[in-house]
Each structure stands twice: as C-alpha cells, then as structure tokens.
Amino acid sequence: MSRRKIQEDEDRPDIPDGVHFKNSLKEFQRLVDKIVVQKKEERLGLYTKDAEEMDYDKFYAAVQALFGPEVKSQDVKTFYRKIGNNPDVQTEWCEIFGYFVVEGDALAAQLDEENMVFLVSKRQRITKKGVKRRDVIKCMVKISQLDFLITASQKGTLSIFNSQMRVMTTTSIPDSPWINGCDYLYQLKRVVAVTERTIIIWDYKSQGSVVDTCFIIKPMEHCLLCVCSVYQPAEQLVKDDILMGDDGGHVNLFTLTSDDFGLKQSKKKAHVQILDSKKFRHIRRKLHEDWVVKVKYIPALNCFGSCSLDSVHSLVLDDLKRLEDNLPVRDFSVPRGVNAFTYCGKANIIVTGGEDKVLRLWHPNINTKPVGKLMGHLFSIMEIVTNEKDQHIISLSSGKIFRVWDIHTLSLMQIFHDTQAGPRDAQIFSMVFDNNHGVLITGSAVIDLYPLTRMIQDTKQVPQTHERNINVLLYNTAFHQVLTICSESIVRIWELESGQLIYQIEDAHGPGIELTCAATDKNGFHLATGACDGTVKTWDFGSGQQLKTLPLAKESIDNEHWLIQMSYLKASESKHVILLLEHSGTIKIVQSNEGEPQLGVTWCLPEALSLALQGNPLMPLRLSPITRKANGFFPDVRLLPEKDPEGADMETPLPPEAKVKCYDVLRVEGYNLLATASANGAIIMWDFESAVARHIFKAAHADETNEPEILGINMLLFLYRSALSVRQLSQSSTYTSESQSDETPIQETEGGGVGGSSVSIKREAVKKEPSIAMNTVESQGLVKLRDSTVLENKGLLKELEDEEHKYIPILASAHEDGCIYLWTIQGDLLREILPFTKLPAIPLTVLCTDISAKMLFAANKEGHVIRWHIGSFLEDPLDTNKHVKQQLCWRAHSTKIVSLFYDEERGLVVTASTDGSVRLWHGSSGYYIGYFGQRRLFELSESADIILPCDVNDLPFTIKEDSKYMEKRQKFEYPLVLDREKWKSLTRSALSFKKPGHLEVDQDFKFFKALASPKIYKSPLESFKSGNKDFGIVFGSIPIYRVVSPTKLKNFPRRRIEPDGSTDSIRSKRSKIMAPSNTGSSTNGSQVVSLHFSAVPAEQGVTAAFVIK
C-alpha cells in the first residue's frame, strides 16, 4: 500500500506554501465542518433548505477560490461524495489534491498505444505506386485546396494521388537527372519539378504522352536542390512565381506565364520540348554560404524562408522584395545549420531543426534568441511538420525515429519508429502531414500513412460502449456523470467531461437477470435499478454499494412484474420512495422507512382507461390519506365514474393495446399531476389537486383504418417553465429510463421536480373544475371533454395568463406515427408537430428538454435527433403566431435510439442506441465528439471539422427561419376543382353559338377548361391520409373527382322531312345525316336545311342548322 496520486497527467498542481497556504487550510476545514453538520441534519430530517445551503457547485467554487483553478474537479467530486455518504468518516486535506491510498501504479494506462497521438499499428503502406524499381520518393507536397498529393521520385516519376491515395495520373520524364523537389503552380494549374540543371513543367490535365504534356527549362547555372511556388490567390494575371535554392547559397525567383507554354509545333517530335531559361524573368540573390536545402513561402507572414547548413545564416525569413535589392535580410543563426523548418500559424512559431539534434522555436520577428527548445533526438533532424488542429510538432531524425511534441506545453507526447523497413529503405526522404484527413505521410521506397488515433476511433472503429444493446442511459446532474446499463446487466459509470470509466457492476440483480430500468435521486447520491423479474435495488451512487432490495414476488406470471420505467421520488436516510411502472400496466410505489431492511409496495394507481372508454372522459377522484404507510406524494385514490360500467368485469385484464406504456410526473406548488399513456393512443391525466382524472384522446386516432401500432405513445414529457424562467440544475427533474424493447420503448422522464423540488412557485391559477371534497362529489358542474382538437378552455386559459405567473404546464407526447402532440393539462390539443428528417414519418422513441424548457429534443427509430426551439411557444401557448421551430436534425446512429439527454451547462447531447454505443454530440451543431468507451479523452471544444462515425454518412442540416417544416402538415385542398359557373357558360344551348360548317364541330369547350388553375404552395407537399380499403391500396390514395352532369338541353322545334315523305323518326345507335328536302325559299333565295344528329340517348341529341347557297 502506498500513497499515490490518481492524476491524468504528470504535472502536479502548484500548491501554495507559507502563511497563505495555512490560512487556506483553516478555511477549508471550516468549510468541511459546515458540510458535515449539514449532512448530519439532513439525515435526521432537521435541516431546512435556505440560500446558504452548500451543494457541490458551491463547494467546488469555494475550493477553487482557496487553492486555485489547478484543483481537479474529479478529486473535489470524490471528496464531496465521501462526506455525503458518511459524514463521520475521517478526511485529510491532501485528498482534495487527488492523493488517496491506492495499490499499484495508476499511471500505467498512459503507456497504452491507444492513448498515443498516432496509431502506429494501423499504419498503411503503399508500394510500387509512383516509383520505379530501385527508386525512392524524393519529394511530396500536399495540396489542401484540391485534396491531392504530388509525389516525385528520384528517377523522374511524377504522380498525383487523390484523397483515397489512389493514383490519378502519372508520368515519367525520360533521360532525366535526379529530381530534387516539386510543387504545384496554382495559377497555371501545372506541376513543377527541379533537377540538378533543369526545371520540369508538367501539364497533368492534358491527354497524351510525356512529349505532349511536359516542358523542360534549361540550362541553370547552379545545381537546383529545392523548389516551392509562391501562393498568391489574389493575383489576377495568369502567372506563377517559383522559388528555388541551389548549391551556391542562392535563392532564385522565376516567373512563369501562360504565354511561355503555348501550343506546340505541329510536327511531332520524339523528345520533350525544351525552353531557354534566359527567356524567363529570373532574379537571384546569394543569402547563404552553404547549400540551400529547403525553401518555402509562408502566405500567413507574406514572406519566404530558406534554410542552409550555414551556421551564421542558417535561416533567412524576409519579404520577396529583398531578392531584388541589396538590403539586409532577417536571418537566424543556429550551430551546424538548419536541415528543416516549418511554421505553425495558430501559435505563430517557426520551428527549426538540424545537425545539432535540437528543435528550436522562434518568434518570426525575434531572431536573436529562440523562445523554446525541444531536446531528445539522438540523430540529426531531417524533417519537421505541424498538426495545426491539435497544435503538435512532428519531427523526424535520420535514424527514422518520429517524435511528437505539444507546442504549448513543450512536452513530448509520443515516440515511434519505422521497424519494418528493409536494407533498401534505409532513409526517409520526405514527410508531410495531411490536415484534412489527420494522416502523417512519409516517402521512401514506399509510402507510409500513419493515422491519428482519434481519426481511427472516430471514423474507422465502430463505436462500442457495451457489447450488447443499451437498456438504460441516465445522467447524474449533481456530479456530471453518466450511467449506462446493457442487456447483459452490466452497470457502468462514466465521467461526462472526459469519457473515462469510473467503475462498473456486473450481474447487479443476479446472474441471468436483465436490468430494464433505473433512476437517480435529485441529489445524485442514490441509484435505483429495476429488473425483468420485478425486483428493485437501491445503491450508493458514489461507491456502488447495495443498500436495500425489493424481493421477488412469490406468485407472478411471466413478464407480469417486468419493470419498464421508474422514478426516484425521494431518497434520504429515513425514507426511500420510488415510483414504478410494470409491463402489466400497473403503476405503484415502493418505499422503505428508516430501520426497514427491505423495500415494500405501499401504493397502487387504479386502472382508469376501461372506465374512460365507457363514456367517462372526466372522472372525479376520491382522495383519502394512506393508512398503511404515507409516501408523502400521492394519496389513496378511488375512481367515481359518472356512468357505471356496463357489464364490465373489472378483474379482467386489459388487452395489450390498452395497458399503460409510459408516464410522467409533475410536482410543483399548485400542480400535482401524473400522466399515463397507453399503446392505443389514450392519455389519462391524473390531477390530484383538482381530484379528477381526464381522458385525452385525439379524434383523428379513432379512425378504423389506422393500425393499432400507429396509435401508440412512446413517451410523455411535461414542459414547464417557472415564473422566474430558470430552474437550478440541482432542482431539476428526476431522470428516469425504461427498458429498451420494441414492445416497451425507452423513456427518460423530465419529472419537473418529482423529488419534491424546493422551488417556491405560487399556484398559477384556479382549476377549471370545482373543488371536490374527500368523500362528497358534485357531478353537476363537471364538464365532459370532447375528443376534439378545438380549444374548449381558451377563455379560461387567457384569464390564467393575465395573472402574475402566466406559465402553464404543457404535456408533450411522442407517437408511433412520427408526430409530437402538445396538450394542455385540460386535454386541449395545441400543436401537432411532424419532424422533418428528409425521410417519411418515423416513429419517435424519446423526448427531452433543457432545464429552462427552451429547447426540445426528440429521437426516432432510425437514429435521428431533432431539435426544436419552444421558448417563445411556452410564453404564450394559445397564441397561434407562436411557432415551435425546428432548428437542427442529424443522424446520430444507424439503429433505434433508446434514450438521450441534454446537458445545458456544456451544450452536449448524449444518445444511446440498440447498437451498443453511447455517443456524445454538440447540441448546437450536431457535430460528433466521441463515444463512451474510447481510449482517447473527449475534446469538448467545438471544431469546424465535421467528423462522422463510421456507420453514419448523413451530415447535420439546419432549418431556415422562414421554412415551413416547423409545424404539422397543412391541410391541402385538391389542386383541381370544378368551377360550376364557368361550366354552365360552356354548356348553353347550341343555338347561341355560331353555326359550324360541315364536320367543323368545335372541340374547344372541354371539361378540363372549366377547372381552376392549381395553387402553388411554397411549402413541400406532405402525405395525405390514404389507404382506403374500399378502393384498394393504389386507388384508395388517389383523389376522386365527382362531376355533376350538366342541365339537360331542350330540343329546338324543327321539322324532319324524310325522303319518302313520312314523319317517322329514325332511331339508331349511330348518328345519321338525314337527306335534305325543300322547305321553301328564303328571302335571299337560299335553302335552309335542318339536319339532326341523333345519338343514344336520344334526348341528348344536338340539332345544327346549315345554310346552303
């Protein structure tokens, strides 16, 4: 046994000494004594809460004020929990700094590979790509804007790799000397490479052989050793400047324009076209006394840098104009010169390394002395790169040993080396870091990729918190800890901020017994768990020690006492009160008083749905004190229905769709509500203040065409805001959870202060129903609730808002049809919300809200998380202009989400799914942080980079303010309607029209010309209620238009002359043209012949008159 410090890093906090530290210890001892007295009084029931109550947050703030911010929150939390569990325990002041009596070394986990920066075991090697036989990669350049990698081999092979490290294009320069460097020309869109005496320009986009796509510029006076392009995005001209270093200590500036690389000659040549170097703009200045081994342009500083093995002018950092004049330049002196350098933009630091094996950190404007040194390399430093996001420096020595350093702390974070290299792979010539994908890339005879550990964990490893489905997810708001339980009954406690596992309990209720629900008390000291066999156990949350048990029922049917939801109403040394919901639909309370070794059932809620379905939508309650054992929350309840049950056997069990599936509790001053929901969509609102039970049921759900499973309610949640618009975190609701099966979905009830909140809230209004005495009921004044969406109590609720405290409780229900319904406690439907997820309606599983009830979160069976803003709506729920606005939606899991919660203080969302993972997200953006169980600690700072888990491909999307995805679908009219007035104008008598000629029947007056133009809706169409079984699946979904036949036309009086002189009418099924005959002369000498077109039916025939000259 030894006294060691359990600490995440090796740095000890700075403990003050002297007189000040002694005074701080005295103040700390007084603080501890005050907490001990408070906890003892709480156990005896003598303590009265006031403004001076010392909770954990106040204690932590006081400790930080005494000893400084270096004190770890985990150490303070452990110390506070120790006093809370046993006020008489002996404590030492050193425990506040994390020094406890432990066995073994607690720092061994830091040596685990999974905690390293780079996951060397996941290295990827690319061979025989971009290099010839017995060739090596001499230079590599990562082009972040285009997300591809350019490589140049020593023997003249240029290649471009895409983001998946696949070769996009490649070329080989024939008879080329060794290539020493390469880069990309941003304006000309070409690749530049340098050899000893030539410059190679490669048009990688053009088709053809190397003769058609390459240019060679020569001769050069000195041997070129390195090259880089000058990135100037604001440049308007199509030209590029390149910087080159040579063996004479010169830095050369070359200007290349598009005119220099025009069309080639029509004759095909067998060699690459050669351009004269004297035709280009060329500026050269000698800056070093030795070879220039590296040259770079730094856009952030608007200057170039060149390094050399010169000990006097080791590094030159200055403006490009210094190459044209002879003014002094800003140089840095390093013993034995500089082999490599890099620039970190966030830290504004230049890092150099060379033959003296020391990394030096310089400020760009201070060249007299470095601001820091990093020592540890045993060989010459050859390459240096930076990881801008994580602020890391990666250095490579000639012994192929990599070292990773932290820029801010100047500490060494990881050492690794290449162990699989053969004799030919003796040297690594180039190294780059891909900030886009978090990969370190090295080039030798092969290309090696070393991924960051966090990238592997975030994007390639399948997130796994438990090996089996998650049944329970809880959040201890007092100590900011997360509890998870899987179907194998493994209980695990995690730290929210870091994701570290604190402890775990296996087989909590015995081998093979599945835990299905759990709850914590509001103070965070106690935990209750429920199992599939109906047993309940209470635990000490801090230590995991079992306290009390509800034994197994003697006589029980299979799954009869299966617990699916529980809430911790009260937890103290003198009393434990827990509200339970069984699979049979029974809601009961188990409790134990001081001195009792076990829990016992003391209260049951009567079944009310069967009475409500028999014509009792509003049932008075007879409330009487509990004679057996008072629980302090709910009285003994008896229903007094207006209508007696018609031959109903109350002992007959309810059908499955009528059993209670979930519940929620709201207990504040003025409200004592318990809402229960069934699988058939019915809600019973138990109001113990008004002594009534209401049956709430949406009328649209009563349609016989709806399947029973569509009507189900998976979650109930009270939305309540106090008069002060805030509720303290320690006074928030009790978090609960339930079993995670398809038949009994998960729920995390908000509770609204179930555990007896100490918030002083005045009663907001007088209830609608008259007061009902304990033993007498006046049913004459009771008003029945209609199954309607119309607000019946609008006038009353308007009066409520005129009082001092206008906020009223709202009940939210999540349904299997994918909608959220918002109700008043009187049963009036306020809003019907359909989430927008780019998919058809998906059943919702869970709801949660923040403490101030400004945001509402929901999750569904497809793994989506949706966020709404409900702050303005709760201010005035009756105002139709107050909308519930959907703000964000993202895919968190690929399977069903069984629970989630929101930490308002840190803006974090935690989700649990049937895939066995519990994941952490930024609530404001939906960005992924990590999962509980990963080896890397959480990084809670929000980053601009979007990282998705390996099983999720959809990016988060936001909803615009003016979008119509805020509320439930609109009731659209049919786009085609019949205008009867217009139709009548088109069906007048034939004589009112101009007589057409022979076979010139007018076809213009059609039925569809009488149809109104379709209305254009800016909001997208949503699905109508369909599936009418009378017309089948397809035609039952198509609107049917019924056209009323027009008024029958009266025949025009006429004479029909037959050829034989008879007056018999000719009846036939086909139209016939009657032979003309003389009927007399007209005034103009023309004959008028009356022709009759007869059709079936005959009374609908049309007569037309023709004038024949």
Side-chain angles (χ1 to χ4, degrees), residues 551-815:
L552 182 66
K554 296 181 179 179
E555 298 179 359
S556 62
I557 310 174
D558 292 341
N559 298 335
E560 179 185 5
H561 297 291
W562 184 302
L563 299 178
I564 59 178
Q565 188 178 351
M566 64 168 43
S567 301
Y568 225 129
L569 299 182
K570 184 176 182 180
S572 64
E573 293 298 326
S574 60
K575 182 182 293 186
H576 288 260
V577 183
I578 304 171
L579 185 66
L580 305 176
L581 171 61
E582 296 180 347
H583 187 267
S584 61
T586 303
I587 295 180
K588 59 186 180 182
I589 285 180
V590 296
Q591 71 180 84
S592 67
N593 293 340
E594 186 176 6
E596 297 179 353
Q598 293 181 340
L599 298 167
V601 179
T602 60
W603 181 83
C604 286
L605 185 70
E607 192 277 320
L609 183 58
S610 59
L611 295 176
L613 297 177
Q614 297 182 30
N616 294 282
L618 188 63
M619 294 166 285
L621 305 177
R622 176 177 294 173
L623 309 178
S624 59
I626 298 178
T627 57
R628 292 176 295 173
K629 187 186 295 185
N631 56 57
F633 292 89
F634 303 114
D636 207 354
V637 182
R638 181 182 176 186
L639 293 169
L640 300 175
E642 291 183 346
K643 297 182 179 180
D644 295 331
E646 299 177 359
D649 187 2
M650 299 306 296
E651 300 298 329
T652 304
L654 289 173
E657 63 271 8
K659 295 180 181 178
V660 176
K661 197 175 182 181
C662 56
Y663 72 86
D664 195 27
V665 180
L666 178 66
R667 278 183 54 85
V668 292
E669 186 175 351
Y671 294 101
N672 189 2
L673 303 174
L674 173 62
T676 63
S678 304
N680 61 356
I683 301 174
I684 301 296
M685 180 73 72
W686 300 82
D687 191 343
F688 296 102
E689 289 286 332
S690 300
V692 291
R694 301 180 184 85
H695 176 216
I696 302 173
F697 190 77
K698 189 175 183 297
H701 285 178
D703 192 349
E704 297 180 355
T705 60
N706 286 337
E707 298 294 334
E709 57 269 15
I710 301 299
L711 308 178
I713 299 176
N714 294 332
M715 179 82 178
L716 291 177
L717 180 65
F718 279 107
L719 306 177
Y720 181 73
R721 182 181 298 178
S722 66
L724 301 177
S725 301
V726 292
R727 286 184 288 181
Q728 297 295 330
L729 198 62
S730 61
Q731 298 167 339
S732 64
S733 58
T734 301
Y735 290 91
T736 65
S737 61
E738 59 186 29
S739 62
Q740 312 309 316
S741 61
D742 292 338
E743 293 81 8
T744 56
I746 183 67
Q747 176 188 5
E748 184 181 7
T749 58
E750 200 266 348
V754 173
S757 174
S758 62
V759 183
S760 178
I761 303 175
K762 296 183 180 179
R763 185 168 181 172
E764 296 183 8
V766 180
K767 300 293 183 293
K768 181 180 88 170
E769 292 76 24
S771 299
I772 301 178
M774 288 293 181
N775 298 321
T776 60
V777 180
E778 294 182 6
S779 59
Q780 299 178 355
L782 300 180
V783 181
K784 295 183 180 180
L785 179 68
R786 297 182 301 169
D787 293 340
S788 173
T789 61
V790 181
L791 294 178
E792 300 175 354
N793 306 311
K794 187 172 182 180
L796 174 64
L797 296 178
K798 281 293 186 182
E799 295 177 1
L800 300 180
E801 292 189 349
D802 295 336
E803 297 188 5
E804 180 180 0
H805 307 293
K806 67 177 182 178
Y807 297 111
I808 59 176
I810 300 298
L811 179 65
S813 58
H815 292 249

Side-chain angles (χ1 to χ4, degrees), residues 464-611:
Q464 187 179 45
T465 306
H466 290 264
E467 295 183 358
R468 294 292 184 268
N469 297 347
I470 304 295
N471 281 0
V472 177
L473 172 66
L474 288 180
Y475 181 46
N476 190 329
T477 58
F479 297 105
H480 311 301
Q481 293 176 348
V482 180
L483 178 140
T484 60
I485 303 177
C486 68
S487 57
E488 287 187 336
S489 299
I490 298 178
V491 182
R492 290 177 177 173
I493 309 297
W494 312 83
E495 194 71 31
L496 176 64
E497 297 178 350
S498 62
Q500 286 184 315
L501 178 65
I502 301 176
Y503 70 86
Q504 72 176 24
I505 305 173
E506 298 182 1
D507 296 328
H509 284 234
I513 300 178
E514 181 181 357
L515 271 64
T516 55
C517 58
T520 59
D521 70 315
K522 63 176 183 178
N523 295 321
F525 291 111
H526 296 89
L527 166 70
T529 57
C532 59
D533 59 354
T535 57
V536 178
K537 290 186 178 181
T538 60
W539 311 77
D540 182 88
F541 194 94
S543 62
Q545 181 182 0
Q546 180 179 328
L547 300 178
K548 297 184 179 182
T549 305
L550 175 68
L552 182 66
K554 296 181 179 179
E555 298 179 359
S556 62
I557 310 174
D558 292 341
N559 298 335
E560 179 185 5
H561 297 291
W562 184 302
L563 299 178
I564 59 178
Q565 188 178 351
M566 64 168 43
S567 301
Y568 225 129
L569 299 182
K570 184 176 182 180
S572 64
E573 293 298 326
S574 60
K575 182 182 293 186
H576 288 260
V577 183
I578 304 171
L579 185 66
L580 305 176
L581 171 61
E582 296 180 347
H583 187 267
S584 61
T586 303
I587 295 180
K588 59 186 180 182
I589 285 180
V590 296
Q591 71 180 84
S592 67
N593 293 340
E594 186 176 6
E596 297 179 353
Q598 293 181 340
L599 298 167
V601 179
T602 60
W603 181 83
C604 286
L605 185 70
E607 192 277 320
L609 183 58
S610 59
L611 295 176

Side-chain angles (χ1 to χ4, degrees), residues 445-461:
V446 295
I447 299 177
D448 288 329
L449 288 80
Y450 297 91
L452 289 173
T453 302
R454 64 176 177 85
M455 301 300 296
I456 290 292
Q457 293 176 344
D458 293 345
T459 61
K460 295 182 180 180
Q461 288 184 348

Side-chain angles (χ1 to χ4, degrees), residues 212-246:
D212 302 322
T213 58
C214 291
F215 296 85
I216 293 180
I217 303 174
K218 67 177 185 179
M220 304 302 295
E221 184 176 352
H222 292 273
C223 178
L224 301 179
L225 301 177
C226 54
V227 64
C228 79
S229 64
V230 179
Y231 178 64
Q232 296 178 346
E235 188 69 34
Q236 299 296 329
L237 299 177
V238 183
K239 70 172 185 177
D240 276 291
D241 293 331
I242 59 174
L243 294 171
M244 299 174 292
D246 57 31

Side-chain angles (χ1 to χ4, degrees), residues 866-886:
I866 309 100
R867 189 190 76 195
W868 290 271
H869 182 267
I870 59 174
S872 60
F873 165 75
L874 291 182
E875 292 177 358
D876 187 5
L878 300 181
D879 190 354
T880 58
N881 295 325
K882 300 287 186 180
H883 296 290
V884 178
K885 300 179 180 180
Q886 179 175 338

